[in-house]
Structures are given as structure tokens and as C-alpha cells.
């Protein structure tokens, strides 16, 4: 199946995909730029806001991992547990590569 047939079957066109990508990039840039403007106006981040921002990475990781851990297949569950253990000793990029390779390998083997 070629890419154009796949796009037409799903209702997406190349133009709409480019639009979504550019809009996402623009919104990302605007939120980052807005953060810099806000910090320059405030001078410092209030302690409560700083504590809330410190909690964001853990919340995002939980939002990504929890649904897969609960409703995913066994290869994903095993990879998450292995990555959790590896993350105590290895850098993040190594853990991501190992976890991705584990899931891709398990899927290639039909598990």
C-alpha cells in the first residue's frame, strides 16, 4: 500500500498534515516565547508555581506510561518494568533506546 492510498483512506491530505505540523510548531514556539516573556515581567517564579512546574515531568510520564501499563500488551508492560529498573543506572536516552528496541523486537517476533 502506498502512502497516498493510506492518506486518502483516512481522510487526511498532505496539506492537512502539513497544516497540523506547522500549527503545532507555531503553538509550541508561542508557549515557549510566552514563558520567557512572563519570566522577564515577573523577575522570578513564585515558589508555588516553581513547585507546580517541578511536578510536570512526573505527571507527563505517568500520563504516558500508566495507560500502556494497564491496557497494553505484555511486551509493553515488560519493557516498562525493565526501563524503570534501568533508569536507576543508565542515562535517559539509553533507557529510551533499549525500551523501544525491546518492544520493536517483541512485535517483530509476533509476541
Amino acid at each position: 500500500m502506498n502512502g497516498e492510498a493510506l492518506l486518502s483512506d483516512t481522510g487526511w491530505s498532505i496539506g492537512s498534515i502539513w497544516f497540523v505540523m506547522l500549527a503545532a510548531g507555531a503553538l509550541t514556539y508561542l508557549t515557549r516565547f510566552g514563558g520567557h516573556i512572563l519570566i522577564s515581567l515577573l523577575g522570578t517564579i513564585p515558589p508555588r508555581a516553581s513547585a507546580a512546574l517541578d511536578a510536570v515531568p512526573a505527571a507527563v510520564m505517568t500520563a504516558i506510561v500508566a495507560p500502556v501499563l494497564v491496557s497494553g500488551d505484555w511486551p509493553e508492560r515488560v519493557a516498562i518494568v525493565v526501563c524503570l529498573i534501568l533508569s536507576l543506572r543508565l542515562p535517559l536516552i539509553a533507557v529510551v533506546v533499549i525500551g523501544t528496541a525491546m518492544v520493536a523486537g517483541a512485535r517483530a517476533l509476533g509476541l
Side-chain angles (χ1 to χ4, degrees):
M1 177 184 299
N2 64 18
E4 289 181 25
L6 181 62
L7 288 174
S8 65
D9 290 344
T10 60
W12 287 86
S13 68
I14 296 293
S16 61
I17 290 173
W18 274 106
F19 174 75
V20 169
M21 288 175 28
L22 292 174
L27 289 174
T28 300
Y29 178 78
L30 288 173
T31 56
R32 290 178 182 258
F33 183 70
H36 289 291
I37 296 297
L38 185 64
I39 293 300
S40 68
L41 292 175
L42 293 177
T44 60
I45 299 175
R48 289 184 67 141
S50 179
L53 290 172
D54 286 342
V56 169
V60 169
M61 190 61 74
T62 302
I64 293 170
V65 170
V68 175
L69 194 58
V70 171
S71 63
D73 291 331
W74 281 105
E76 288 88 0
R77 292 176 179 170
V78 170
I80 288 172
V81 172
V82 170
C83 287
L84 177 69
I85 295 167
L86 292 176
S87 68
L88 300 173
R89 295 282 182 210
L90 297 177
L92 176 63
I93 190 68
V95 174
V96 170
V97 168
I98 291 168
T100 303
M102 286 178 61
V103 172
R107 288 181 180 173
L109 293 173
L111 300 175

